[in-house]
Amino acid sequence: MKVPFLELSLQHRALRTEALAALAATYDATRFCLGKDVDDFEKNFAATLGYPRALGMNSGTSPLHAACMIAGFRPGDEVIVPPFTFISTVWGVNYVGATPVFADIEAATFNLDPARLAAAITPRTKGVIVVHLFGQPARMDEIMTIARRHNLFVIEDCAQAVGARYRDTPVGIIGDAGTFSFYPTKNLGGCGEGGAFVSRREEVHTQARHIRVHGSDRRYYHDIVGANFRMEGFQGAVLNVKLPHLATWNARRQAIAARYLSGIRLADVILPATPDYGASVWHQFTLRHPRRDALREHLAKHEIGTDLIYPVPLHLQKCYTVLGYGPGAFPVAEQAAATCLSLPIFPELTDAQLEHVISSINSF
Ligand SMILES: *Cc1c(COP(=O)(O)O)cnc(C)c1O
């Protein structure tokens, strides 16, 4: 039985008629950049997930960039980031000329370790970017306590955690700014590039709204330096079709994860932790095993697709050699990169496929 790591065509086939009708309406009305579809999506997104307001943007990288601009990070400033995440988490820090400083993750959740965050703070530290990696909320109480003590601007990268809550609060509005990606493979994916910006602080939201359209509130008047971070009308239209399904899709991911957690019985495997402060929306199900490559090969022989997310921690990426970190700098992240294996987890995965993955793992 074939089990792809991810199969996007199933979801898009199921929604084809509805999605194409929505796209046709947008086409006919020539609502190409921002416009009613994006307005509606922002309202629906905020209402569905519990945000005071939201801004549609053109990727998940753009709201991170906007957040770094609003935070006022400047050359000489340090911004703390975890080294085990997608590289885009860090780009905004570079774009504004500040310096990324890595702080290691905790082994159990793959997320920023509050103790390592506290230890990395210097007089130059101005902010921290927290990632809710794989859909699992990070330890926000501890992180916010440290951030407040040092007056840090807190950005939450929620690209993989749409729909997740930390205790009772949706991720993204615990810190100062929250960012989402609607890249097609994310839990809520557009038909192209997309992202969103949220903040519980109205003045931060207003700045992001102006930055998104060239630093402008009024056409051809530019009060602040901005960018073009506009969401396209087509993405708003298709996301409006998909958003009502997000809760069901996330619930299916949670059911798949629960079955993996109860069904996988393999010596030396480390399964992802499920802390009680916030349920994961399982963007990825990532286990660890000391013989990861052999396990991956074994699963490939059983026609099961897997992925290495992520194979190289950020401090060891070529683009960051300039920061001067070497192997051994962040042992937990390095260990995670060396042993992690992500299993198929998408809403359309069938129970038969799921059982095939579990029995194949258990026969390794
Ligand atoms: C996908 C992702 C992003 C960036 O999103 P794009 O839409 O590709 O720009 C940022 N951070 C994390 C953790 C991601 O997974």
Side-chain angles (χ1 to χ4, degrees), residues 78-102:
E78 295 175 355
V79 181
I80 296 172
V81 288
F84 192 70
T85 175
F86 183 58
I87 190 118
S88 166
T89 299
V90 196
W91 287 145
V93 179
N94 293 112
Y95 296 161
V96 299
T99 304
V101 170
F102 294 112

Side-chain angles (χ1 to χ4, degrees), residues 125-127 146-153:
T125 308
K126 293 290 154 47
I146 296 162
R148 284 206 190 89
R149 194 182 303 143
H150 296 273
N151 204 18
L152 307 182
F153 193 95

Side-chain angles (χ1 to χ4, degrees), residues 58-64 84-91 131-134 157-161 179-186 192-195 283 310:
N58 58 349
S59 75
T61 305
S62 295
L64 285 160
F84 192 70
T85 175
F86 183 58
I87 190 118
S88 166
T89 299
V90 196
W91 287 145
V131 185
H132 305 298
L133 198 72
F134 302 152
D157 181 344
C158 312
Q160 302 186 3
T179 68
F180 296 87
S181 167
F182 306 122
Y183 188 74
T185 60
K186 300 290 157 84
E193 306 282 351
H283 177 61
Y310 297 91

Side-chain angles (χ1 to χ4, degrees), residues 17-51:
T17 308
E18 213 186 328
L20 291 188
L23 290 168
T26 305
Y27 183 93
D28 290 340
T30 65
R31 293 190 296 255
F32 298 137
C33 301
L34 297 179
K36 180 178 180 298
D37 304 284
V38 176
D39 289 347
D40 288 350
F41 172 64
E42 290 169 349
K43 284 192 194 91
N44 295 339
F45 184 82
T48 305
L49 298 176
Y51 297 108

Side-chain angles (χ1 to χ4, degrees), residues 162-240:
V162 63
R165 282 166 178 268
Y166 177 84
R167 302 197 192 281
D168 288 328
T169 311
V171 293
I173 48 171
I174 302 158
D176 297 283
T179 68
F180 296 87
S181 167
F182 306 122
Y183 188 74
T185 60
K186 300 290 157 84
N187 286 30
L188 178 64
C191 293
E193 306 282 351
F197 183 102
V198 297
S199 178
R200 64 187 156 74
R201 296 173 53 189
E202 194 166 358
E203 75 281 13
V204 169
H205 173 87
T206 302
Q207 282 186 73
R209 189 162 56 77
H210 294 173
I211 286 171
R212 176 176 68 169
V213 286
H214 303 293
S216 176
D217 195 17
R218 207 160 39 116
R219 216 161 151 235
Y220 303 131
Y221 291 81
H222 310 276
D223 293 349
I224 56 172
V225 171
N228 175 1
F229 292 157
R230 287 184 293 244
M231 175 179 271
E232 294 192 346
F234 284 140
Q235 298 315 322
V238 88
L239 287 166
N240 280 325

